Amino acid sequence: MTGGRAFKSGRELLEEQAWDSALRCVQCGYCLPVCPTYCSMGKESASPRGRINLVKLAAEGKVDVLQDLSEPIDLCLGCRACETACPVQVPYGHILEAAKEAIVAERAEGATWEERLRAGILRHLFPYPRRLRLAGGLLWLFQRAGLHSLLRNAQFLAKRAPAPFHLGTALPRVEAPFRRMRRGSLLPARGPKKGRAAFFAGCIMDEIFHGVNRSTVDLLRHVGLEVTIPKAQRCCGALHAHQGMRAQAKRLAKANICAFEASGAEVYVNNAGGCGAMLREYDRLFQDEPEWRERAARFVEKIRDISEVLVHYGPPTYRKAWEGVIVYQDSCHLRNVQKVVEEPRQLLRSIPGAVYVEMEDSDRCCGSGGIYNLLHFEESIKILDDKMKVVAKTGASTLVTTNPGCHLQMRLGAERRKGSAPLRVRHLVEVLAEVCLE
Amino acid sequence: MDSNILKEIEGIFPKHRILTELSERYSYSFDASFGQYLPELVVQPQSVEQIARLVRLANERRIPLYPRGSATSLSGGPLPVQGGIVVDMSQYPKRLEVDRENLLAVVTPSVITAEIHKKAEEVGLFYPPDPSSSHVSTIGGNLLENSSGPKGLKYGTTKEYVIGMEVVTPTGEVIRVGGKTVKNVTGYDLTRLIVGSEGTLGIVTEATLRLIPRPPARRTLLAHFPRLKDAGYAITRILSSGILPAAMELMDNACIRAVESYRPHGLPTDAEALLIIEVDGHPAAVKEEIRRCEELCLLQGAGGCRVAEDKAEREKIWMARKLVSPAITRMGPTKISEDATVPREKIPEMMERLKRIREKYQLQLVVFGHAGDGNLHPNIIADERNREEMERVEKAVGEIFEAAVSLGGTLSGEHGIGILKAPYMEMELGQEGVMMMKKIKEAWDPNHILNPGKIFPTPGQTKVVLR
Ligand SMILES: Cc1cc2nc3c(=O)[nH]c(=O)nc-3n(C[C@H](O)[C@H](O)[C@H](O)COP(=O)(O)OP(=O)(O)OC[C@H]3O[C@@H](n4cnc5c(N)ncnc54)[C@H](O)[C@@H]3O)c2cc1C
Ligand code: SF4
Ligand code: SF4
């Protein structure tokens, strides 16, 4: 792995970016009980404290980045529950990203086809809205043609099929391309105008959950905001940062900062916990570019989750009642990174007719972890099945989430409990749209 | 590890309970103190038979074994200092049964202490030992370190609540010590011997704990003192007035300021000391006692005193105390937590000595702790990478121990000796005292299999924080 490369080695990257942070860990273990992978795998290399220790050792050259560090890091969900439990505020998210970057740097040469495919998708598909739209269109055609349900019923395949197959069956029906909202236009507020919101559409949200995006915009208008969907916006870059592709993440961040600055809006609203978390940490990407760091900091200040905006400008007026028990599963990144905990609950509790029940361990990751479920299907399913048992205890008929990754994962969970009472999985916005909008 | 030995171990444990990879082994090389020691192997036993077989094998082949719970030890207790095998007890099957009629709980060592608190509370009972790590540490670790917390003042330490255990001895026999009765004078009290033995005399696989009825009411007050000495006198005055509070916690000025700059709480940053006092028991008695405590604090020169009116205020008071630990870690990367303990009337004197040590060695030395039982927590915040500073720390730690012992106190009130305080054992116990303890160890563990290098210093070991 030498060969006179001009790039920094993984070890050097770690020493530069993560060593100091890792040294802050006092190994008190306070993060152990909240870490889903430590609880499900039962060993320290799958605990936050264990991972941080290995990063430290790798930075010191005592263990190898690829041979020893990569697996424990790959098996982390990135849910960042550990950060909320840490009494000394070890910046785990930062350490994790640095570790991913170091692993990518070391792997570059000996990448497997899977890794290349993943990197290729992230590099060539997500940054480009048009290509994404094309992919989304294809997915729609595929579902229209009935191939989707064919797959769903092909039980014989399920036994040996890889993770993408299982998750594929959990996909909701996507909307026809011609029904999508146009970007760039300014949509007026309903009733007296209270301000302007710029909407961050997000790539997965926009392709797979376009209906949620439409409802988000409608709800924003419903509480008196005019809405613009900046045309030049791009993917938030979270997937890239989490897969160690920092340079791409920075490029996307710059594009988004420019696009939203130009919108003239008071708040930049998104509805995906994971994207929002990334957007809220843009300033950290630019430690070495002071001018951008400042612009990013101003951008960050305006980022809001849809639930915060609806509580602040609302409350929305309800037209209809909801039936049955609703439970809420926190999006880890909404809760642990964005620290939005109460607003979604407050909104759900206020829905007439609905019985809101606080689910045990609602703050514990569902095992989706960005694209963790794609990469580590078995580990993820173990965590998911535990989650579904807790859901079953509540007698809920509706399970609410606030992030597309969690949404798909929970749909998969609902599918897997065939036989028990049906469970609707909804984005918070879908539930609110149903009871608030015409 | 020798491949023949590994084969034998594979005969005892299923493959996924034997961790051999470098990354796995490094993940069991630490605890919450400092120092890193790479074990040759880690095993995760699932039954007492597995443990007994492993210990017998270890005796035959002379392999050191190190029991480990959640590794929150602050004294190096579970560190594999001489190579060998870490026995990870945190994944041992969890069992927690509360026997309401007999006021007992039967637990396996992997149960997290806070779970016992919760289960007991659910049926109106109370398990008092409350180390602040109780939501992470295992009851096994608590037993072997004889842990305790603020409530130690009134309710005592873990050893007061253990009445029976199942133990695998260092030579591989499975024995039961104690029983299910609170009174028990049949023979030597091996239960008390094993509690606090830091994993050097046996691996605990089950324990019977005593529970007590939950006190129905409690009240809490916060008092601040312009002069630290007065806080010390207030403590003795209250305790000699016939009141036994559930907790009496002290924070010095450095702690107050650290907490205020970490998360402002409205604490008076110019006070030399804060006292948190909590009383519990019958509602009427509690009301009268807290009033009396308030009065005594004010008589003893408190600058101000406030009794919490409701749960929220009470929690806010305790939060200030809980934040001390994280707040002071922001002062530097390496925290050396001592827990030297003195008879409580010596607290003012001990505080005075600590102040002099701080000035002499120019260190960031802060003091807080369970003042009611004399269990102070002098913490030094330094930077491990600064050799010169660590040399001063080394000397300061030595003087802290000397001060405690010369005032009739002890090296450690609750964190244990481990490797970190081993060199000072003789100072407190004298040569003969250490010798008697060594004889016990020899008799139980003739081959030095179980947790070697702990409690007793290895020849030539004189340093505490320097390596
Ligand atoms: C932030 C923080 C706060 C703390 N606060 C307190 C406090 O307030 N009061 C206090 O007393 N302590 C405190 N501690 C110290 C520590 O939490 C206790 O000593 C605790 O009891 C250790 O439990 P553990 O499960 O982590 O055990 P470990 O650290 O893993 O082991 C402790 C010792 O027990 C032995 N051992 C563990 N399990 C077994 C078993 N089944 N059989 C035989 N031997 C075994 C080990 O060999 C070792 O010697 C604190 C620690 C931290 C990090
Ligand atoms: S991010 Fe989540 S899975 Fe990863 S170490 Fe932290 S708590 Fe565990
Ligand atoms: S809680 Fe924080 S300091 Fe403690 S072990 Fe976990 S990461 Fe380290």
Side-chain angles (χ1 to χ4, degrees):
Chain A
M1 280 262 159
T2 42
R5 214 175 28 194
F7 298 114
K8 290 196 174 107
S9 74
R11 191 200 67 73
E12 285 166 325
L13 277 172
L14 286 178
E15 187 180 7
E16 225 174 81
Q17 292 183 20
W19 192 54
D20 271 329
S21 305
L23 277 178
R24 279 168 58 186
C25 171
V26 295
Q27 303 181 324
C28 65
Y30 277 31
C31 50
L32 297 183
V34 303
C35 174
T37 58
Y38 175 70
C39 296
S40 72
M41 297 181 210
K43 46 185 197 175
E44 283 269 7
S45 63
S47 82
R49 167 172 83 168
R51 290 183 174 118
I52 293 166
N53 182 52
L54 288 171
V55 166
K56 187 172 81 188
L57 292 167
E60 292 165 358
K62 290 183 186 149
V63 302
D64 185 70
V65 171
L66 279 189
Q67 219 169 340
D68 306 307
L69 181 62
S70 65
E71 196 183 318
I73 290 295
D74 279 350
L75 285 171
C76 169
L77 288 158
C79 71
R80 297 172 63 177
C82 45
E83 279 181 34
T84 63
C86 179
V88 297
Q89 271 118 33
V90 174
Y92 181 78
H94 170 79
I95 295 173
L96 177 65
E97 271 176 24
K100 294 241 161 153
E101 200 179 332
I103 293 165
V104 167
E106 293 284 312
R107 260 189 198 148
E109 287 154 44
T112 64
W113 69 268
E114 245 186 332
E115 286 158 2
R116 288 209 184 132
L117 180 66
R118 192 195 315 160
I121 292 179
L122 291 180
R123 201 169 280 138
H124 300 298
L125 181 63
F126 281 94
Y128 304 101
R130 282 228 221 125
R131 294 185 196 169
L132 260 178
R133 183 134 293 185
L134 184 66
L138 287 173
L139 180 59
W140 174 73
L141 262 178
F142 176 78
Q143 294 185 336
R144 266 303 293 262
L147 293 172
H148 185 61
S149 48
L150 203 69
L151 258 186
R152 200 185 285 251
N153 294 325
Q155 284 302 330
F156 68 95
L157 258 178
K159 289 241 159 57
R160 12 173 46 206
F165 168 83
H166 288 276
L167 291 167
T169 64
L171 284 178
R173 285 208 159 251
V174 305
E175 288 199 344
F178 47 80
R179 294 197 55 207
R180 313 275 171 98
M181 288 181 296
R182 285 250 317 281
R183 291 192 178 177
S185 41
L186 185 66
L187 305 158
R190 306 244 161 79
K193 179 183 134 183
K194 296 182 193 157
R196 178 186 292 182
F199 178 55
F200 180 84
C203 13
I204 308 239
M205 283 312 289
D206 218 34
E207 292 315 316
I208 299 181
F209 294 104
H210 192 79
V212 176
N213 273 1
R214 186 203 321 285
S215 300
T216 304
V217 169
D218 288 344
L219 283 167
L220 288 171
R221 297 170 66 194
H222 175 81
V223 295
L225 293 165
E226 65 178 8
V227 183
T228 167
I229 313 177
K231 201 168 179 179
Q233 64 177 288
R234 293 276 181 276
C235 168
C236 66
L239 292 174
H240 303 81
H242 300 161
Q243 296 304 314
M245 299 161 76
R246 195 182 173 84
Q248 277 87 341
K250 277 170 109 169
R251 226 170 292 141
L252 292 166
K254 287 182 181 172
N256 282 326
I257 292 171
C258 293
F260 279 81
E261 277 174 352
S263 72
E266 286 102 309
V267 285
Y268 306 160
V269 185
N270 73 88
N271 60 15
C275 302
M278 182 67 199
L279 298 174
R280 264 190 227 231
E281 294 199 323
Y282 268 4
D283 48 341
R284 295 210 198 159
L285 281 174
F286 298 108
Q287 297 301 350
D288 45 354
E289 293 177 62
E291 190 190 321
W292 274 101
R293 193 177 52 216
E294 239 171 70
R295 271 175 87 175
R298 282 195 298 273
F299 173 89
V300 167
E301 261 173 34
K302 295 189 174 184
I303 296 295
R304 300 282 184 284
D305 181 67
I306 177 69
S307 61
E308 294 175 280
V309 178
L310 293 180
V311 167
H312 183 82
Y313 290 93
T317 43
Y318 298 104
R319 296 174 37 249
K320 264 196 343 211
W322 187 271
E323 257 179 53
V325 174
I326 297 186
V327 291
Y328 175 66
Q329 162 67 34
D330 281 292
S331 143
C332 299
H333 284 180
L334 185 60
R335 182 184 182 103
N336 301 334
V337 183
Q338 303 198 58
K339 313 274 191 267
V340 176
V341 178
E342 262 316 303
E343 288 86 348
R345 292 177 163 82
Q346 195 179 327
L347 290 166
L348 288 171
R349 265 191 222 111
S350 64
I351 297 175
V355 181
Y356 177 76
V357 173
E358 185 64 43
M359 171 172 74
E360 192 187 322
D361 288 336
S362 53
D363 59 351
R364 175 161 293 204
C365 185
C366 62
S368 138
I371 52 172
Y372 186 89
N373 45 10
L374 279 174
L375 306 177
H376 306 284
F377 189 66
E378 268 172 40
E379 286 83 357
S380 139
I381 285 296
K382 233 162 86 187
I383 296 170
L384 176 61
D385 286 348
D386 284 345
K387 176 66 70 185
M388 295 322 287
K389 275 182 217 144
V390 181
V391 174
K393 269 202 264 175
T394 63
S397 54
T398 309
L399 171 65
V400 173
T401 79
T402 43
N403 182 56
C406 317
H407 198 145
L408 286 176
Q409 175 86 343
M410 302 314 277
R411 281 180 66 107
L412 178 64
E415 286 257 317
R416 287 174 64 83
R417 37 173 251 166
K418 271 184 191 136
S420 36
L423 177 70
R424 282 175 296 183
V425 179
R426 293 285 184 274
H427 191 288
L428 171 68
V429 159
E430 292 177 290
V431 173
L432 292 172
E434 207 176 311
V435 291
C436 296
L437 303 176
E438 291 292 325
Chain B
M1 172 135 300
D2 183 324
S3 64
N4 286 327
I5 299 182
L6 191 58
K7 255 207 204 92
E8 291 189 61
I9 291 173
E10 281 168 359
I12 304 175
F13 299 96
K15 260 223 149 76
H16 69 285
R17 295 293 180 188
I18 308 173
L19 311 180
T20 54
E21 305 216 353
L22 186 65
S23 58
E24 304 288 4
R25 290 188 284 129
Y26 259 126
S27 300
Y28 293 83
S29 66
F30 55 78
D31 66 359
S33 68
F34 39 99
Q36 186 137 39
Y37 300 86
L38 186 62
E40 290 161 77
L41 208 69
V42 179
V43 295
Q44 302 183 308
Q46 300 297 300
S47 70
V48 64
E49 292 77 32
Q50 284 177 349
I51 297 173
R53 284 175 67 190
L54 176 72
V55 175
R56 287 198 293 269
L57 175 73
N59 268 282
E60 268 167 45
R61 305 288 193 138
R62 303 284 195 270
I63 313 163
L65 301 178
Y66 310 88
R68 183 188 198 259
S70 295
T72 64
S73 169
L74 292 169
S75 52
L79 297 178
V81 289
Q82 297 177 11
I85 304 177
V86 168
V87 184
D88 176 15
M89 294 300 288
S90 71
Q91 303 301 310
Y92 198 75
K94 291 187 166 59
R95 208 174 76 238
L96 165 54
E97 290 151 14
V98 172
D99 173 352
R100 216 172 146 181
E101 275 69 59
N102 292 309
L103 302 181
L104 294 179
V106 178
V107 297
T108 50
S110 51
V111 169
I112 303 296
T113 312
E115 290 292 318
I116 305 174
H117 291 149
K118 204 171 111 200
K119 262 277 175 62
E121 199 146 315
E122 274 169 20
V123 294
L125 297 177
F126 180 37
Y127 176 70
D130 59 341
S132 39
S133 53
S134 61
H135 62 299
V136 217
S137 61
T138 63
I139 184 68
N142 283 191
L143 292 171
L144 276 295
E145 296 282 8
N146 188 18
S147 302
S148 56
K151 299 212 178 85
L153 171 61
K154 178 167 176 179
Y155 295 102
T157 60
T158 300
K159 69 170 184 278
E160 261 85 37
Y161 297 88
V162 196
I163 57 174
M165 282 187 284
E166 179 185 77
V167 182
V168 180
T169 68
T171 42
E173 291 85 30
V174 179
I175 60 169
R176 286 198 157 267
V177 300
K180 279 183 174 288
T181 55
V182 173
K183 294 188 175 175
N184 183 332
V185 291
T186 313
Y188 291 145
D189 190 349
L190 297 183
T191 313
R192 292 246 173 165
L193 178 61
I194 291 188
V195 173
S197 67
E198 305 188 17
T200 61
L201 297 181
I203 300 182
V204 173
T205 49
E206 191 192 278
T208 305
L209 306 175
R210 185 164 71 89
L211 306 176
I212 60 176
R214 188 155 53 106
R218 55 186 169 187
R219 295 296 294 271
T220 308
L221 73 72
L222 178 76
H224 55 90
F225 293 83
R227 294 189 319 158
L228 194 136
K229 260 209 259 158
D230 289 333
Y233 292 132
I235 292 167
T236 29
R237 199 150 169 181
I238 289 170
L239 288 168
S240 54
S241 77
I243 298 173
L244 183 53
M248 294 181 110
E249 295 291 300
L250 176 99
M251 285 162 63
D252 76 353
N253 178 266
C255 294
I256 301 170
R257 277 185 288 128
V259 170
E260 274 306 299
S261 81
Y262 178 62
R263 236 172 266 168
H265 245 76
L267 305 177
T269 46
D270 53 348
E272 271 191 18
L274 280 188
L275 277 187
I276 297 173
I277 301 173
E278 183 162 295
V279 293
D280 65 5
H282 187 276
V286 160
K287 200 169 156 204
E288 167 59 20
E289 283 177 3
I290 200 78
R291 195 194 53 75
R292 192 79 187 108
C293 287
E294 184 181 13
E295 208 175 83
L296 290 171
C297 283
L298 290 171
L299 273 176
Q300 195 57 59
C305 194
R306 169 142 191 97
V307 178
E309 284 305 330
D310 51 25
K311 192 165 168 244
E313 206 180 334
R314 176 177 173 270
E315 276 166 10
K316 192 171 165 220
I317 292 180
W318 278 111
M319 187 49 78
R321 168 67 180 81
K322 287 210 178 95
L323 286 175
V324 170
S325 229
I328 60 175
T329 22
R330 295 206 316 169
M331 295 158 66
T334 312
K335 189 172 93 172
I336 295 98
S337 311
E338 292 306 338
D339 70 329
T341 302
V342 294
R344 62 175 151 254
E345 88 275 0
K346 299 283 195 214
I347 285 177
E349 210 174 326
M350 184 66 184
M351 295 296 285
E352 193 51 45
R353 295 262 197 122
L354 289 171
K355 193 170 150 199
R356 266 183 286 169
I357 293 172
R358 169 172 49 218
E359 280 156 12
K360 179 167 167 197
Y361 294 104
Q362 290 296 309
L363 289 166
Q364 302 193 75
L365 190 163
V366 307
V367 189
F368 58 97
H370 320 310
D373 50 25
N375 183 198
L376 296 174
H377 289 312
N379 274 250
I380 301 175
I381 293 84
D383 187 339
E384 212 177 335
R385 292 166 290 184
N386 181 345
R387 176 88 198 173
E388 184 273 329
E389 186 184 34
M390 290 306 274
E391 269 163 28
R392 280 183 280 136
V393 173
E394 177 73 41
K395 290 189 190 130
V397 168
E399 281 191 29
I400 293 175
F401 292 153
E402 269 164 39
V405 171
S406 72
L407 293 174
T410 177
L411 301 176
S412 174
E414 49 187 37
H415 298 165
I417 300 301
I419 50 173
L420 285 184
K421 298 182 192 96
Y424 288 89
M425 284 287 282
E426 259 189 42
M427 186 169 92
E428 180 175 335
L429 299 170
Q431 230 175 350
E432 296 75 18
V434 175
M435 187 56 76
M436 287 313 289
M437 286 194 186
K438 270 194 176 155
K439 280 186 184 162
I440 295 177
K441 169 73 176 169
E442 288 283 336
W444 279 69
D445 186 7
N447 296 320
H448 301 270
I449 296 305
L450 215 51
N451 214 0
K454 309 297 160 63
I455 300 183
F456 308 107
T458 39
Q461 184 192 355
T462 54
K463 296 278 187 281
V464 181
V465 298
L466 289 175
R467 262 166 290 132

